[in-house]
Amino acid sequence: ETTPDEAQFDDLIARDERIEPRDWMPDAYRRTLVRQISQHAHSEIIGMQPEANWITRAPSLKRKAILMAKVQDEAGHGLYLYSAAQTLGATRDDMTEALIAGRARYSSIFNYPTPTWADMGAIGWLVDGAAICNQVPLCRASYGPYARAMVRICKEESFHQRQGFEILLELMRGTPAQQRMAQDAVDRWYWPALQMFGPPDDESPNSAQSMAWNIKRFSNDELRQRFVGMLVPQAEALGVTLPDPELRYDEANGCYAMSPIDWTEFHEVLAGRGPMNAERLRRRREAHENGAWVREAATAYAAKQATATRE
Ligand code: FAQ
């Protein structure tokens, strides 16, 4: 028996309209959105660390200003996304607690180190590139606050991707040592970037339901293919080689053939055993503890304001 609430929800989804915070929604829909949106928010916040590592060492004032702006944008994205999750009843405290306790997921990609300046280029080009590919369809996700947050976020991500591309371009026009540094960064970030799209479709437990609810519009493998298709001409323009000897366009079935992805590595990183997992969480915990006085002061100020208005 379908209740009137359920019928209205199903109807909104069938007409491809937006679900808003005030609307009735199935518990499982709410849970899956809190899961995805909070994981996405955590990724933005943890994702500040690999690049923040280079702010003090950026090669020029201009590069430093750009990198600082980008890392600040990521903080902003995290905050939008936490707010979107809060409209579903999740609390900021619970989400933060889950992250620093190591119970929450965030994107596998941020558990890799950034040893050289070229990593700033590779992150912008490959990581933000993958983020755009994945997030542009999310601008049409059925949950209104998430979809609207994505519109603004995607505009900023395109700028981020261009700045990464430009860093690599400048290195590729430089000395042989700079060219090697750029190629080495691309070699290290390419495969982890492909893993950002998630497990293969036949091992993606959440996909079918998320697609039925119009949260996801394309499958993990479809977006991965689209991403590779975007990279191939850009790699050529840069003069870098994508580190996959098997990569070629298959005319017959209209997609890219590629070497198998190392899913063992992906699962190790998800289990907390990637190269930088422990360091990322340690740093996040430390930042949270160091910020305690700000939260206390804000709470005391809010309490004082509330008393003042009552009097
Ligand atoms: N890393 O059944 P599915 C950025 C988990 S971009 C870690 O396929 P779903 C911008 C998945 O959560 C990065 N975990 O799941 C930036 C699920 O776990 P659960 C963030 C992963 O949700 C750039 C399980 O595996 N972007 O931050 C990953 O249908 C530069 C089974 O997977 C987003 O979060 C992974 N790569 O599809 C910032 C986009 N892949 O909860 C700074 C929004 C999968 O069942 C610098 N999210 N898992 O235990 C999505 O589009 C989706 O959640 C997917 C996964 C596509 C990531």
Side-chain angles (χ1 to χ4, degrees):
E1 187 79 1
T2 320
T3 67
D5 278 342
E6 284 165 356
Q8 194 192 10
F9 174 86
D10 292 347
D11 187 48
L12 283 170
I13 297 289
R15 283 189 283 130
D16 203 358
E17 290 185 15
R18 298 288 161 270
I19 308 296
E20 294 298 336
R22 63 174 181 277
D23 293 330
W24 183 89
M25 60 189 85
D27 282 343
Y29 178 82
R30 188 183 298 276
R31 273 199 307 276
T32 213
L33 280 165
V34 168
R35 178 184 67 79
Q36 178 166 330
I37 300 173
S38 63
Q39 288 176 355
H40 195 166
H42 296 325
S43 304
E44 298 281 357
I45 298 299
I46 296 284
M48 295 168 71
Q49 293 186 36
E51 290 166 293
N53 182 34
W54 277 91
I55 290 176
T56 56
R57 293 175 290 163
S60 69
L61 179 63
K62 186 183 106 182
R63 293 292 181 194
K64 183 171 175 144
I66 295 171
L67 190 60
M68 274 169 66
K70 179 182 192 286
V71 173
Q72 282 182 7
D73 285 351
E74 285 151 10
H77 298 172
L79 299 184
Y80 280 164
L81 288 163
Y82 283 128
S83 298
Q86 283 172 287
T87 66
L88 292 156
T91 72
R92 190 68 186 277
D93 280 349
D94 286 349
M95 291 186 279
T96 304
E97 187 45 47
L99 177 63
I100 61 183
R103 281 184 280 113
R105 286 205 194 290
Y106 59 85
S107 183
S108 50
I109 194 75
F110 302 116
N111 295 303
Y112 292 86
T114 46
T116 73
W117 170 253
D119 290 313
M120 302 303 97
I123 290 181
W125 182 45
L126 297 171
V127 177
D128 288 277
I132 296 171
C133 251
N134 163 266
Q135 287 169 203
V136 165
L138 292 173
C139 296
R140 294 187 291 121
S142 57
Y143 188 56
Y146 189 36
R148 289 188 290 272
M150 281 298 121
V151 174
R152 171 100 178 250
I153 290 176
C154 283
K155 287 183 186 165
E156 295 182 347
E157 301 287 25
S158 335
F159 155 70
H160 294 170
Q161 203 228 359
R162 291 301 295 265
Q163 71 86 40
F165 182 88
E166 207 255 342
I167 288 175
L168 291 178
L169 189 63
E170 188 147 322
L171 290 172
M172 290 307 289
R173 286 175 177 163
T175 64
Q178 287 173 319
Q179 292 167 359
R180 279 195 302 276
M181 198 204 305
Q183 181 63 54
D184 168 67
V186 170
D187 290 347
R188 284 181 291 107
W189 289 93
Y190 177 76
W191 291 105
L194 292 188
Q195 296 178 356
M196 287 173 71
F197 296 92
D201 292 350
D202 54 3
E203 288 165 35
S204 164
N206 302 298
S207 277
Q209 184 60 75
S210 289
M211 288 175 82
W213 277 328
N214 294 343
I215 297 170
K216 282 172 108 161
R217 300 288 180 160
F218 299 97
S219 76
N220 298 356
D221 287 327
E222 281 168 346
L223 290 174
R224 205 173 351 254
Q225 276 285 328
R226 184 182 283 205
F227 177 57
V228 171
M230 185 185 94
L231 290 183
V232 167
Q234 294 182 5
E236 219 163 278
L238 283 171
V240 296
T241 309
L242 296 175
D244 181 359
E246 304 285 313
L247 184 65
R248 61 182 171 79
Y249 189 67
D250 187 336
E251 294 282 352
N253 57 18
C255 60
Y256 283 89
M258 45 177 119
S259 307
I261 292 177
D262 183 354
W263 293 112
T264 309
E265 173 182 324
F266 175 76
H267 290 296
E268 281 295 296
V269 174
L270 261 63
R273 294 187 290 266
M276 297 295 280
N277 292 59
E279 166 65 14
R280 298 292 183 241
L281 277 189
R282 187 195 61 73
R283 179 77 194 93
R284 182 68 198 86
R285 221 172 275 134
E286 183 185 271
H288 185 69
E289 284 157 15
N290 290 343
W293 69 272
V294 179
R295 292 187 297 279
E296 282 158 22
T299 310
Y301 181 74
K304 206 165 149 188
Q305 291 295 102
T307 324
T309 31
R310 266 203 304 278
E311 273 161 6

